[in-house]
Amino acid sequence: MIAIVGGGIAGLSAARRLQQHGVDARVFEASATVGGLAATHETAGDPIEAFYHHLSAAEETIIDRIEELGLGDDLRWPIGKNAYYVDGTVHPMDTPWEILAFPHLSLYDTARLAMLTQELDVRGGLPSRDTYEDLTDFEHVGVEQFLCEHTTRGVYEQFFEPLLEAKFGSRMDDVSAAWLLGRIKFRGERDLLRGEPLGYLDGGFGRLLDALVEDVGREHIETGARVTAIQRDDAGDVTGVTVDSEAGTERVDADGVIVAAMPTVLESLTGYECDITFQGTVCSIVSMDEALTDTYWLNIADDAPFGALIEHTNFIDPARYGGEHLLYVPKYVQSRDDEVWQMSDEEVREHWLSGIEALFPDFDRESVNWVETNRNPRTAPVYERGYLDMVVPYDLASEGHDGVYYAGMASRAQYPERSLNGGIVAGNEAADRILDGA
């Protein structure tokens, strides 16, 4: 039996992969429910994810999994409209002519930005598609240096710098150009007349988790069960795990362990130290009687307590949520000392609503039905220079930990950005290492 530590999408995917090949697997989840960052909240209609999610057409693994689990007919691809709030104005940024109309970039800036998004290097006069093929060539190059060399100073300062500051805060200068290029490659094909189609599952991604749970079998998943130790025999082979639950402490026999959790869990079980720095998120869902904007993803360049406003019901019909208009208000935090992290939920509510009022004077807070605030201290890595040198291998035998495998957020699959798709890939990769050695 393989013990899987963590009941998020990576752990469930690893269990499913092993079972498909006749290997017994058992999932242990420390919290009361499975799902991790894909956990959901109730609304007046469909449940909604605690932290915003959507799919890109490039995420083929999760799309295939949705099909395999019989949910393919419920995967929709609406247009996720994007805009940029600068100097008190919302600037749509979906179509070529909307981008050309963005007043904070010159025509030359816009042309250079467009070439980069098409992965064309025009620095030598002759466009080349080979320059950006291998991301590792840019692992040790900073984003600012890269953008100023491959586009213009104006593109960096007027377009990317506010986005980087919102996402990485005080660590923005450490971010690798490989991360930015990876994000560009990650995006799907755009509809030139409307924008980029993004994937969403009718009823939310909680349905995918439910389908995975049913496929793995509820009898193979234990919640409220924290793995506290890995047992080995005198030869160093894994023989079991120690599990703490309300029922007490028990030893469970196991031939191997997949850690599908944060690297801090891996370190507590094995002593393996991961050098990747993670940042947290304070993310609130605001339910309103009416829409705030007509945009799905609104990046904010002006002074505001948040870097973006993500209006989910401009992407998915509010009728699915009983007519509620649902808005995500997120902020990345680099430390638990951050002012917003220290706030109570009521203080966060006031902080967000005051910020929205400052940007949108016509906003009526009487239209707000409820605000649900979620916090997680480790929602995303800081993709700094040299990041790929720090990822945790899927098989830790090379690190002196035979029989231990890793499928958490510090794995290679969660690059250039962490995602549900990356979780499934990581779970598959860790399981495949076990199957290859069987």
Side-chain angles (χ1 to χ4, degrees):
M1 190 274 289
I2 303 299
I4 298 175
V5 182
I9 198 164
L12 294 172
S13 296
R16 181 176 186 267
R17 185 78 143 209
L18 291 170
Q19 289 177 342
Q20 286 178 322
H21 291 82
V23 177
D24 187 22
R26 188 170 169 188
V27 178
F28 300 94
E29 169 56 47
S31 64
T33 59
V34 299
L37 292 176
T40 60
H41 283 298
E42 296 301 316
T43 73
D46 291 343
I48 188 172
E49 293 77 19
F51 297 89
Y52 47 89
H53 287 88
H54 61 242
L55 302 182
S56 164
E59 297 180 281
E60 296 177 355
T61 302
I62 190 170
I63 295 169
D64 290 344
R65 194 67 71 253
I66 288 170
E67 291 282 353
E68 291 169 9
L69 293 169
L71 301 174
D73 289 344
D74 295 333
L75 182 59
R76 311 297 178 194
W77 293 93
I79 297 295
K81 295 178 64 177
N82 292 272
Y84 213 151
Y85 187 107
V86 185
D87 290 344
T89 302
V90 174
H91 301 276
M93 299 290 286
D94 289 310
T95 64
W97 45 91
E98 288 173 342
I99 296 171
L100 282 169
F102 186 61
H104 300 277
L105 293 177
S106 69
L107 186 60
Y108 181 67
D109 290 336
T110 303
R112 293 298 298 270
L113 174 60
M115 292 300 100
L116 178 64
T117 61
Q118 295 301 309
E119 300 177 49
L120 285 173
D121 180 8
V122 297
R123 289 175 301 159
L126 294 175
S128 170
R129 287 194 177 274
D130 298 331
T131 304
Y132 310 126
E133 190 65 31
D134 188 352
L135 297 184
T136 60
D137 290 343
F138 300 92
E139 262 299 295
H140 296 277
V141 179
V143 170
E144 180 178 0
Q145 176 188 341
F146 171 81
L147 286 170
C148 290
E149 290 179 357
H150 290 254
T151 60
T152 69
R153 169 61 62 177
V155 169
Y156 172 72
E157 293 181 349
Q158 301 300 323
F159 189 82
F160 282 106
E161 189 174 24
L163 305 181
L164 289 164
E165 185 173 8
K167 187 170 181 66
F168 295 108
S170 60
R171 296 298 307 278
M172 61 179 285
D173 292 335
D174 300 323
V175 174
S176 163
W179 166 79
L180 178 64
L181 284 169
R183 290 296 300 150
I184 291 171
K185 290 177 178 291
F186 177 78
R187 303 308 293 263
E189 294 184 4
R190 302 180 69 86
D191 183 322
L192 292 179
L193 297 178
R194 298 185 299 156
E196 183 182 5
L198 298 172
Y200 194 77
L201 193 60
D202 282 350
F205 290 108
R207 292 185 61 206
L208 173 59
L209 289 170
D210 291 343
L212 279 169
V213 167
E214 291 300 321
D215 200 54
V216 169
R218 294 182 182 274
E219 68 275 16
H220 300 296
I221 302 168
E222 187 174 345
T223 55
R226 184 180 300 276
V227 175
T228 58
I230 297 173
Q231 306 295 331
R232 296 181 181 273
D233 61 19
D234 292 340
D237 295 329
V238 172
T239 60
V241 293
T242 302
V243 181
D244 287 351
S245 66
E246 288 187 358
T249 300
E250 66 171 324
R251 183 188 183 285
V252 178
D253 291 340
D255 303 312
V257 178
I258 294 177
V259 178
M262 294 301 298
T264 50
V265 176
L266 179 66
E267 182 177 356
S268 71
L269 294 174
T270 67
Y272 179 93
E273 295 184 6
C274 174
D275 294 328
I276 293 173
T277 301
F278 287 83
Q279 54 188 6
T281 305
V282 179
C283 182
S284 300
I285 306 170
V286 180
S287 167
M288 306 172 294
D289 288 332
E290 55 192 36
L292 177 66
T293 72
D294 63 356
T295 297
Y296 169 53
W297 195 290
L298 179 63
N299 288 307
I300 310 292
D302 287 14
D303 185 27
F306 35 74
L309 293 172
I310 300 140
E311 197 157 353
H312 181 79
T313 43
N314 288 336
F315 175 52
I316 302 300
D317 193 332
R320 296 202 67 96
Y321 306 97
E324 294 183 7
H325 293 262
L326 301 176
L327 172 74
Y328 286 104
V329 187
K331 182 182 189 296
Y332 283 103
V333 298
Q334 281 67 52
S335 164
R336 297 193 192 199
D337 294 329
D338 186 281
E339 175 189 11
V340 176
W341 184 272
Q342 295 290 326
M343 291 179 179
S344 67
D345 285 359
E346 188 56 38
E347 289 172 329
V348 169
R349 172 194 170 104
E350 176 60 29
H351 195 52
W352 292 162
L353 297 186
S354 296
I356 293 171
E357 285 176 327
L359 298 180
F360 299 94
D362 292 336
F363 171 68
D364 179 9
R365 68 167 63 200
E366 293 299 318
S367 71
V368 174
N369 301 309
W370 49 264
V371 178
E372 183 73 39
T373 297
N374 305 280
R375 307 163 196 258
N376 190 295
R378 298 180 185 90
T379 51
V382 176
Y383 293 100
E384 60 189 292
R385 283 166 281 180
Y387 181 88
L388 289 180
D389 297 331
M390 297 184 283
V391 297
V392 181
Y394 296 115
D395 184 347
L396 279 95
S398 61
E399 304 295 327
H401 304 289
D402 287 347
V404 179
Y405 304 83
Y406 185 71
M409 199 184 294
S411 65
R412 180 64 176 84
Q414 296 289 19
Y415 186 86
E417 184 68 285
R418 51 90 175 104
S419 64
L420 295 177
N421 185 77
I424 294 175
V425 172
N428 290 347
E429 292 284 353
D432 286 346
R433 299 308 191 276
I434 293 174
L435 296 171
D436 288 345

